[in-house]
Amino acid sequence: PIDLKEVTLLDGSTYAVPKDEPILIHFWASWCPTCKAEAQNIETISKSFNVLTIALKSGTNEEISEYLSSRELTFKTVNDSDGVITQKYGVSVFPTTIIYDKDGNELFSEVGYTTTIGLWMRMWLARL
C-alpha cells in the first residue's frame, strides 16, 4: 500500500496525498534520458488525474524547478535529494511509475517509458 500521507513540494507547499482517489506516483531524475522523453506524458496525465512525482538526486529545489519550467512541466514534484523516498519504494530504475487505486493498493507498476494513452487507461481503470 501507499506509504506517503503528506509531502513537501518544490515550492515549499504541503501536499496531502488524497484518500479515496487513485494516484499515480512517478519516480524520475533530471539526468535520465528516458525520463525526459516521458515527462510530457506525465504532464498530460497530471491535468486529469492525481499525480505526484519524485525527483531523485536531481539537484536543489531551485535547479529542479528551473528544469521543469524550461520544459513547461507543472506536475507536483518532491525533491528526493537523499533518495529516502525512492529507497522506501524499492525503486532503482528510472523512470518508474506506480499507480494506486482509491484504497491505496498498488494496481500497476511500470519501469521505463509509457505512453500517454497507456497511463490514461491505467488511471481510468484505477477509478473503477
Side-chain angles (χ1 to χ4, degrees), residues 2-104:
I2 191 167
D3 260 354
L4 297 173
K5 304 286 183 245
E6 205 171 77
V7 292
T8 302
L9 301 177
L10 290 177
D11 64 5
S13 65
T14 300
Y15 175 68
V17 175
K19 293 178 176 68
D20 304 327
E21 292 179 38
I23 187 168
L24 180 151
I25 299 186
H26 180 71
F27 293 85
W28 65 280
S30 60
W31 39 265
C32 159
T34 307
C35 301
K36 287 177 187 163
E38 187 180 42
Q40 198 55 55
N41 302 351
I42 300 299
E43 178 69 16
T44 300
I45 294 300
S46 74
K47 302 295 184 198
S48 302
F49 298 98
N50 293 314
V51 170
L52 178 64
T53 76
I54 313 294
L56 174 70
K57 298 180 181 173
S58 294
T60 64
N61 286 2
E62 294 75 27
E63 288 167 333
I64 297 169
S65 293
E66 285 173 23
Y67 174 91
L68 294 170
S69 65
S70 72
R71 289 164 175 77
E72 298 181 3
L73 302 170
T74 61
F75 44 66
K76 293 174 184 66
T77 302
V78 173
N79 183 358
D80 191 17
S81 57
D82 55 8
V84 169
I85 298 170
T86 302
Q87 191 173 26
K88 187 194 299 194
Y89 280 82
V91 173
S92 58
V93 180
F94 302 91
T96 292
T97 304
I98 305 170
I99 295 175
Y100 293 90
D101 67 14
K102 61 183 177 51
D103 300 316

Side-chain angles (χ1 to χ4, degrees), residues 41 44-45 113-124:
N41 302 351
T44 300
I45 294 300
Y113 183 89
T114 307
T115 63
T116 301
I117 191 68
L119 292 166
W120 193 92
M121 289 298 294
R122 287 170 183 84
M123 286 303 290
W124 182 79

